[in-house]
Amino acid sequence: MDLRLFKNIVILTGAGISAESGIRTFRDQNGLWEEHRIEDVATPEAFAQNPALVQRFYNLRRAQLKDPNLQPNAAHKALAQLEEIWEGNFLLVTQNVDNLHRRAGSKNLLHMHGRLDRIFCQFCDEKVDWTEDLLTQHPCPSCGRLGMRPDIVWFGEMPYHMEEIYAALDKADYFISIGTSGQVYPAAGFVQLAWKAKKIEINMKDTGISAAFDSHLVGPATVEVPRFIQNFLTN
Ligand code: NAD
């Protein structure tokens, strides 16, 4: 493969890439995320109705990030290495809200569904890096009002960075989707928007959108991603 043909790579990751680090996906447990129905913890309506439950859910997820056993795995690291040596344009878009890509060293990284380690004020939009628990009613360090919530894009809200992502997909000549079920839009539609790209899907199994890809690597991300990148760079 002549790599000079591929100047623009876009990579999309989902919960599957972090599964082997110890963070559970949700569709692999019949639509439950850590024993909760997604609509009970990941919608603005859930937050309005039961803020204590929602804050507790994200407090537990945020606390998990401090567990010394939680580390970036071989797939996160391989993507960071690819970015380091890649001479063309490289964009990593993640649906994940954990911090494992960043800890592995990825730089040109967009968290389209937000970040567990950041909170924002619903009144003044102030964003603050945050590693501790958040109270049901937490004062904003900027405006002082009780409006801080997790900086998570909930179902029904607009994902972040969409203009930048769409522009990169339009130019992409290589698109790789890793560990995502292809059920959450708009991310599930990215493969269609990467219209001129060669498209590879890496997953433990077929997904609802597998037919849109040119090829598939079936297996755990920690095995398939480093192997794919190694082959990609040496062929
Ligand atoms: P999903 O749970 O819907 O699907 C996970 C996918 O990963 C499945 O297709 C599964 O077959 C695959 N998978 C599981 N283990 C794998 C492995 N070891 N190697 C390769 N593939 C593997 O996840 P999604 O498509 O990312 O959508 C879920 C949404 O929930 C995301 O948008 C995200 O915001 C949120 N979420 C995030 C995290 C996280 O930050 N780590 C975890 C759970 C859910």
Side-chain angles (χ1 to χ4, degrees), residues 159-201:
Y160 296 147
H161 313 295
M162 292 313 295
E163 270 183 39
E164 195 178 336
I165 295 169
Y166 286 145
L169 288 167
D170 193 51
K171 282 195 300 187
D173 29 42
Y174 220 100
F175 175 71
I176 308 168
S177 173
I178 305 167
T180 173
S181 58
Q183 294 193 37
V184 179
Y185 280 83
F190 288 177
V191 62
Q192 309 288 352
L193 298 175
W195 57 280
K196 62 178 173 183
K198 188 168 169 52
K199 307 174 205 39
I200 314 288
E201 182 178 63

Side-chain angles (χ1 to χ4, degrees), residues 14-15 20 24 26-28 95 97-98 113 179-181 203 221:
E20 291 164 85
R24 286 165 67 180
F26 71 78
R27 291 218 165 61
D28 295 327
Q95 299 167 86
V97 295
D98 66 54
H113 291 164
T180 173
S181 58
N203 201 302

Side-chain angles (χ1 to χ4, degrees), residues 16 24 34 38 41 58 89-90 94 125 130 133 153 174 185 187-188 190 195 221:
R24 286 165 67 180
E34 302 282 354
I38 227 65
V41 289
Y58 287 100
N89 294 315
F90 180 99
T94 188
D125 248 4
W130 196 260
D133 284 355
V153 176
Y174 220 100
Y185 280 83
F190 288 177
W195 57 280

